[in-house]
Amino acid sequence: MGTGAEITPQQTPPDTDRKTNMFSGIVCCADCEEKLYYCTSKNFEARQDHFVCSTSRLKGKEVCPTHFIRAVVLEQGVLAHMRLVIACVSTHEERFRKAMEAKQKAEAKKNSRRSGGN
């Protein structure tokens, strides 16, 4: 007698051990601007996980030459760029602060006009 929640021999349980990546769904091909698929396997080492162009994979290399980047290379590149931006902001903190204040004031003024305020 079953409860309806049992797994039959033909079914497989949901994959709760699936590896994911923080950039899944947000990285795009530089040429065709379509998303990059995250490719991994339980048998892959972390250094083997990678992203590949969805257009190239689905429609062939004639439509878009294969674009491929290892996940660790992408992560290292983003981290290096973040460090560069932080260093730049730290070096020019006052200038950055003034630019952000001006931007916030302009946005507040724009939003005020939209909502009918003064």
Side-chain angles (χ1 to χ4, degrees), residues 1 3 7 11 18 20 32 34 36 42-43 51 61-62 67 74-75 80 89-90 94 98 102 105 108 110-111 113:
M1 184 170 186
T3 62
I7 297 175
Q11 296 175 323
R18 182 174 294 181
T20 59
C32 70
E34 292 296 324
L36 297 182
K42 289 179 182 177
N43 299 326
F51 290 88
K61 293 180 183 180
E62 306 79 36
H67 287 91
L74 177 63
E75 292 162 7
V89 169
S90 296
E94 188 58 34
K98 287 179 182 177
K105 285 179 184 177
K110 184 178 177 181
N111 291 337
R113 277 191 242 135

Side-chain angles (χ1 to χ4, degrees), residues 19 26 40 54 73 77 90 101 104 115:
K19 291 196 289 186
I26 61 173
T40 187
S54 59
V73 172
S90 296
E101 287 172 0
Q104 287 174 339
S115 64

